[in-house]
Structures are given as C-alpha cells and as structure tokens.
Amino acid sequence: MITVHNTIRASIDKVWDCWILPEHIKNWNIAIEDWYTQDVENDLKVGGKFKYKMAKKDGSLSFDFEGEYTKVENLSLIEYKLVDNRIGRVSFEKEESEVKITETFEPTKQDSESMQKEWCQTVIDNFKKYVEELKAH
C-alpha cells in the first residue's frame, strides 16, 4: 500500500466539501502540468460511483479514474474500490485549525510505486494549495 498525506489550514467542512464536490475536484485533481480533470461525476454514498475524466491539455490522451464507494463516514473517512479492484481510503482528521488528510491506496502493477506515490503526493499538495487559497478569498 502507498500512503500520502498533508495538513490543510482550513475547517473540516471546507476541506470535506473541496474533496467531494465536482466543481472543486476539477480545480485541484492534477498531478502533471499538461493534464487536467475534464469532467467529474461523484455520488458520495456507499455503493455510489465516482468517475474523473483525466485528459491531456493538447487532447492527445485521456483516461477515466473510476470506482465505487465502499464506506463513507461524513467529515471523517472515504473508502473505495476502483474498477480494477484495487482499494483505497482517505481519512480526514481535525486538528485545532487544521485538517490532516491521509490517502492510502493499492498501487498498480504496471507503474513503479515511487512514481505512483509522487503522483498522488502532488495531487494532495495541489489540494492543500487550492483549499488554502480558496479560504483566503
């Protein structure tokens, strides 16, 4: 399993909303500069599905990151299973005026674990930057 984390200076409500609402996900779910999140579907409930359509800005490549939620605890925990049956979880821990977010997931076999960890850490870092900049406005 791979684990990444970050601590965000914002309320648990703001962190949660930015993590789950499609209009926010599109703004932070980026690992590489020349890619973007083109479309987001998110039905956050046990048995609900999610699908993020990722695309290269030049239109040359795209793929869907999708799965189903297996456990949801409001403002605290999200567990999921991807379409290839890999599992993952995201926990949210309130710490005074901050929230620690930790994501743990099963890596793919075709890509190196270090590359996958770096990719996911970049996404979590973008999430932190997005939420903290949003809070400042």
Side-chain angles (χ1 to χ4, degrees):
M1 297 294 272
I2 294 173
T3 300
V4 297
H5 60 84
N6 213 324
T7 302
I8 297 98
R9 289 184 307 276
S11 71
I12 187 70
D13 292 323
K14 177 60 74 183
V15 170
W16 184 261
D17 285 350
C18 287
W19 189 266
I20 67 167
L21 296 175
E23 62 267 26
H24 291 298
I25 295 167
K26 287 173 128 182
N27 292 306
W28 59 260
N29 189 44
I30 304 157
I32 304 168
E33 284 291 318
D34 60 342
W35 285 77
Y36 73 108
T37 302
Q38 187 176 39
D39 192 39
V40 175
E41 298 171 26
N42 197 28
D43 184 16
L44 185 67
K45 65 183 181 193
V46 173
K49 307 256 194 254
F50 62 89
K51 182 162 92 171
Y52 303 172
K53 183 165 195 64
M54 311 298 295
K56 222 172 170 184
K57 289 180 181 176
D58 68 7
S60 63
L61 289 171
S62 69
F63 69 93
D64 293 335
F65 177 77
E66 59 186 312
E68 180 177 320
Y69 294 110
T70 56
K71 186 173 187 178
V72 177
E73 295 176 4
N74 193 42
L75 304 175
S76 176
L77 178 70
I78 298 170
E79 293 183 355
Y80 58 87
K81 181 170 71 170
L82 299 172
V83 293
D84 64 5
N85 289 318
R86 291 182 300 123
I87 58 169
R89 66 181 282 145
V90 184
S91 64
F92 303 80
E93 298 173 63
K94 187 177 180 213
E95 301 173 345
E96 295 183 23
S97 61
E98 299 177 329
V99 176
K100 181 178 180 186
I101 184 169
T102 304
E103 183 163 14
T104 303
F105 63 96
E106 195 174 345
T108 65
K109 302 262 189 272
Q110 60 267 33
D111 299 314
S112 75
E113 286 194 23
S114 62
M115 187 276 303
Q116 291 176 73
K117 183 172 183 163
E118 182 181 331
W119 174 84
C120 196
Q121 186 64 56
T122 300
V123 172
I124 295 285
D125 293 347
N126 286 337
F127 177 75
K128 173 185 173 69
K129 182 179 177 195
Y130 174 77
V131 174
E132 290 180 353
E133 286 177 359
L134 190 66
K135 183 182 154 221
H137 293 94

